[in-house]
Amino acid sequence: MDWLPLLSTLAGAAIGIAATLIADRNRWKHDDVKEALRLRLDVYTQYTTTVKVLGETLRALAGRDHPSHDARALALREAFRDSGIAIASERMWLIAPQPVVKASNDVFHCLRRICAGYIDGTPVSSPEDRARWEARGRAAARMRGLMRDDLGVGPLTERHSPLLNDYDDPAAE
Protein backbone atom coordinates (compact mmCIF):
# COMPACT_ATOMS: atom_id res chain seq x y z
CA MET A 1 0.00 0.00 0.00
CA ASP A 2 1.28 3.45 -0.90
CA TRP A 3 1.28 5.62 2.27
CA LEU A 4 2.23 8.88 0.62
CA PRO A 5 -1.30 9.89 -0.50
CA LEU A 6 -2.72 8.98 2.92
CA LEU A 7 -0.01 10.93 4.77
CA SER A 8 -0.48 13.90 2.44
CA THR A 9 -4.21 13.87 3.11
CA LEU A 10 -3.65 13.66 6.87
CA ALA A 11 -1.08 16.44 6.77
CA GLY A 12 -3.46 18.63 4.75
CA ALA A 13 -6.28 17.90 7.17
CA ALA A 14 -4.06 18.74 10.17
CA ILE A 15 -2.96 22.01 8.54
CA GLY A 16 -6.59 22.86 7.71
CA ILE A 17 -7.77 22.12 11.26
CA ALA A 18 -4.91 24.17 12.75
CA ALA A 19 -5.62 27.08 10.42
CA THR A 20 -9.31 26.97 11.33
CA LEU A 21 -8.52 26.92 15.06
CA ILE A 22 -6.13 29.85 14.70
CA ALA A 23 -8.68 31.82 12.68
CA ASP A 24 -11.40 31.08 15.27
CA ARG A 25 -9.11 32.18 18.10
CA ASN A 26 -8.23 35.41 16.28
CA ARG A 27 -11.92 36.07 15.58
CA TRP A 28 -12.74 35.44 19.26
CA LYS A 29 -10.00 37.85 20.38
CA HIS A 30 -11.25 40.49 17.95
CA ASP A 31 -14.84 40.06 19.18
CA ASP A 32 -13.66 40.27 22.79
CA VAL A 33 -11.84 43.56 22.10
CA LYS A 34 -14.92 44.96 20.32
CA GLU A 35 -17.18 43.96 23.22
CA ALA A 36 -14.85 45.57 25.79
CA LEU A 37 -14.81 48.76 23.72
CA ARG A 38 -18.61 48.76 23.45
CA LEU A 39 -18.93 48.25 27.21
CA ARG A 40 -16.60 51.19 27.94
CA LEU A 41 -18.56 53.35 25.49
CA ASP A 42 -21.78 52.50 27.35
CA VAL A 43 -20.21 53.27 30.74
CA TYR A 44 -18.73 56.55 29.47
CA THR A 45 -22.02 57.60 27.91
CA GLN A 46 -23.93 56.83 31.10
CA TYR A 47 -21.44 58.76 33.20
CA THR A 48 -21.25 61.86 31.01
CA THR A 49 -25.04 61.95 30.67
CA THR A 50 -25.50 61.61 34.42
CA VAL A 51 -22.98 64.41 35.02
CA LYS A 52 -24.80 66.69 32.59
CA VAL A 53 -28.27 66.01 34.00
CA LEU A 54 -27.08 66.34 37.59
CA GLY A 55 -25.44 69.68 36.87
CA GLU A 56 -28.60 71.02 35.24
CA THR A 57 -30.70 69.75 38.15
CA LEU A 58 -28.47 71.30 40.81
CA ARG A 59 -28.46 74.67 39.08
CA ALA A 60 -32.24 74.61 38.61
CA LEU A 61 -32.87 73.68 42.24
CA ALA A 62 -30.47 76.33 43.51
CA GLY A 63 -32.23 78.97 41.42
CA ARG A 64 -35.68 78.16 42.80
CA ASP A 65 -37.29 79.65 45.86
CA HIS A 66 -37.50 77.26 48.79
CA PRO A 67 -39.51 77.65 51.98
CA SER A 68 -36.32 77.52 54.05
CA HIS A 69 -32.59 76.96 53.90
CA ASP A 70 -33.17 73.41 55.20
CA ALA A 71 -35.70 72.68 52.45
CA ARG A 72 -33.19 73.90 49.83
CA ALA A 73 -30.41 71.79 51.35
CA LEU A 74 -32.65 68.71 51.44
CA ALA A 75 -33.72 69.17 47.81
CA LEU A 76 -30.10 69.51 46.66
CA ARG A 77 -28.91 66.49 48.66
CA GLU A 78 -31.78 64.37 47.36
CA ALA A 79 -31.07 65.44 43.79
CA PHE A 80 -27.43 64.44 44.15
CA ARG A 81 -28.32 61.10 45.73
CA ASP A 82 -31.14 60.30 43.28
CA SER A 83 -29.18 61.30 40.16
CA GLY A 84 -27.52 57.91 39.73
CA ILE A 85 -24.04 59.46 39.84
CA ALA A 86 -22.91 56.99 42.51
CA ILE A 87 -23.87 53.99 40.35
CA ALA A 88 -22.35 55.54 37.23
CA SER A 89 -19.18 56.29 39.19
CA GLU A 90 -18.91 52.73 40.48
CA ARG A 91 -19.31 51.36 36.94
CA MET A 92 -16.52 53.71 35.88
CA TRP A 93 -14.26 52.42 38.69
CA LEU A 94 -14.85 48.85 37.51
CA ILE A 95 -14.44 49.30 33.75
CA ALA A 96 -12.31 52.32 32.88
CA PRO A 97 -8.53 52.61 32.86
CA GLN A 98 -6.94 54.53 35.73
CA PRO A 99 -6.54 57.93 33.99
CA VAL A 100 -10.24 57.97 33.03
CA VAL A 101 -11.26 56.89 36.55
CA LYS A 102 -9.21 59.71 38.08
CA ALA A 103 -10.63 62.27 35.66
CA SER A 104 -14.22 61.10 36.26
CA ASN A 105 -13.62 61.24 40.01
CA ASP A 106 -12.41 64.84 39.62
CA VAL A 107 -15.69 65.70 37.85
CA PHE A 108 -17.66 63.95 40.61
CA HIS A 109 -15.92 66.02 43.28
CA CYS A 110 -16.49 69.23 41.30
CA LEU A 111 -20.21 68.46 41.32
CA ARG A 112 -20.01 67.75 45.05
CA ARG A 113 -18.43 71.18 45.60
CA ILE A 114 -21.13 72.84 43.46
CA CYS A 115 -23.85 71.09 45.46
CA ALA A 116 -22.19 71.95 48.80
CA GLY A 117 -21.84 75.58 47.70
CA TYR A 118 -25.52 75.80 46.89
CA ILE A 119 -26.39 74.14 50.21
CA ASP A 120 -24.22 76.72 52.00
CA GLY A 121 -26.16 79.48 50.23
CA THR A 122 -23.93 80.38 47.28
CA PRO A 123 -26.16 82.22 44.82
CA VAL A 124 -26.41 80.99 41.23
CA SER A 125 -24.19 83.11 38.94
CA SER A 126 -22.11 84.50 41.80
CA PRO A 127 -18.33 84.62 41.31
CA GLU A 128 -17.91 81.59 43.61
CA ASP A 129 -20.54 79.66 41.66
CA ARG A 130 -18.97 80.58 38.34
CA ALA A 131 -15.52 79.46 39.56
CA ARG A 132 -16.93 76.08 40.60
CA TRP A 133 -18.65 75.62 37.24
CA GLU A 134 -15.51 76.61 35.37
CA ALA A 135 -13.52 74.01 37.36
CA ARG A 136 -16.17 71.42 36.51
CA GLY A 137 -16.03 72.42 32.85
CA ARG A 138 -12.24 71.98 32.74
CA ALA A 139 -12.46 68.65 34.56
CA ALA A 140 -15.24 67.41 32.25
CA ALA A 141 -13.32 68.45 29.12
CA ARG A 142 -10.23 66.61 30.37
CA MET A 143 -12.33 63.53 31.21
CA ARG A 144 -13.98 63.50 27.78
CA GLY A 145 -10.59 63.80 26.09
CA LEU A 146 -9.27 60.80 28.02
CA MET A 147 -12.42 58.84 27.21
CA ARG A 148 -12.07 59.62 23.51
CA ASP A 149 -8.41 58.55 23.61
CA ASP A 150 -9.34 55.31 25.34
CA LEU A 151 -12.03 54.61 22.75
CA GLY A 152 -9.57 55.33 19.96
CA VAL A 153 -11.60 58.10 18.36
CA GLY A 154 -9.06 60.87 18.96
CA PRO A 155 -9.67 64.50 19.85
CA LEU A 156 -12.41 66.64 18.42
CA THR A 157 -11.18 69.00 15.73
CA GLU A 158 -13.85 71.62 16.46
CA ARG A 159 -15.51 72.00 19.81
CA HIS A 160 -17.18 74.51 22.01
CA SER A 161 -15.56 76.25 24.93
CA PRO A 162 -16.25 74.04 27.95
CA LEU A 163 -15.75 76.96 30.29
CA LEU A 164 -18.30 79.38 28.88
CA ASN A 165 -20.89 77.08 27.36
CA ASP A 166 -21.03 74.67 30.29
CA TYR A 167 -21.67 77.57 32.65
CA ASP A 168 -23.89 79.79 30.53
CA ASP A 169 -25.88 77.01 28.92
CA PRO A 170 -25.87 73.69 30.78
CA ALA A 171 -27.47 72.00 27.79
CA ALA A 172 -24.41 72.85 25.65
CA GLU A 173 -22.28 69.99 26.91
Side-chain angles (χ1 to χ4, degrees):
M1 174 178 233
D2 189 11
W3 290 94
L4 192 55
L6 182 59
L7 290 175
S8 295
T9 301
L10 287 174
I15 291 170
I17 290 171
T20 300
L21 291 174
I22 290 169
D24 285 348
R25 178 161 170 75
N26 287 340
R27 191 173 19 259
W28 173 79
K29 282 175 150 179
H30 183 340
D31 289 347
D32 195 39
V33 167
K34 281 176 43 179
E35 177 61 20
L37 187 65
R38 189 202 58 75
L39 179 59
R40 287 195 316 277
L41 176 61
D42 289 348
V43 169
Y44 295 170
T45 302
Q46 179 194 20
Y47 193 80
T48 56
T49 303
T50 301
V51 162
K52 180 178 179 180
V53 170
L54 176 57
E56 291 170 354
T57 302
L58 292 175
R59 186 177 288 142
L61 284 172
R64 286 188 194 143
D65 288 331
H66 296 275
S68 67
H69 174 76
D70 289 344
R72 174 183 167 143
L74 180 62
L76 289 161
R77 284 188 187 103
E78 284 179 350
F80 202 96
R81 185 191 64 235
D82 295 343
S83 70
I85 191 89
I87 293 168
S89 182
E90 287 301 318
R91 289 187 78 205
M92 187 72 70
W93 278 86
L94 292 172
I95 298 299
Q98 191 273 336
V100 175
V101 169
K102 183 181 180 326
S104 68
N105 199 42
D106 291 345
V107 173
F108 177 90
H109 287 290
C110 285
L111 285 167
R112 275 270 197 223
R113 285 188 287 278
I114 289 167
C115 185
Y118 289 151
I119 288 170
D120 291 341
T122 301
V124 174
S125 301
S126 68
E128 299 91 346
D129 183 45
R130 186 168 184 89
R132 288 184 186 114
W133 279 102
E134 287 173 352
R136 194 218 57 97
R138 286 188 301 273
R142 182 174 175 277
M143 175 188 69
R144 282 190 218 101
L146 290 168
M147 288 174 173
R148 291 180 65 82
D149 287 346
D150 181 46
L151 295 172
V153 294
L156 291 172
T157 54
E158 291 182 30
R159 61 182 258 259
H160 69 284
S161 167
L163 302 181
L164 297 177
N165 288 350
D166 281 357
Y167 181 81
D168 293 333
D169 180 8
E173 235 179 9

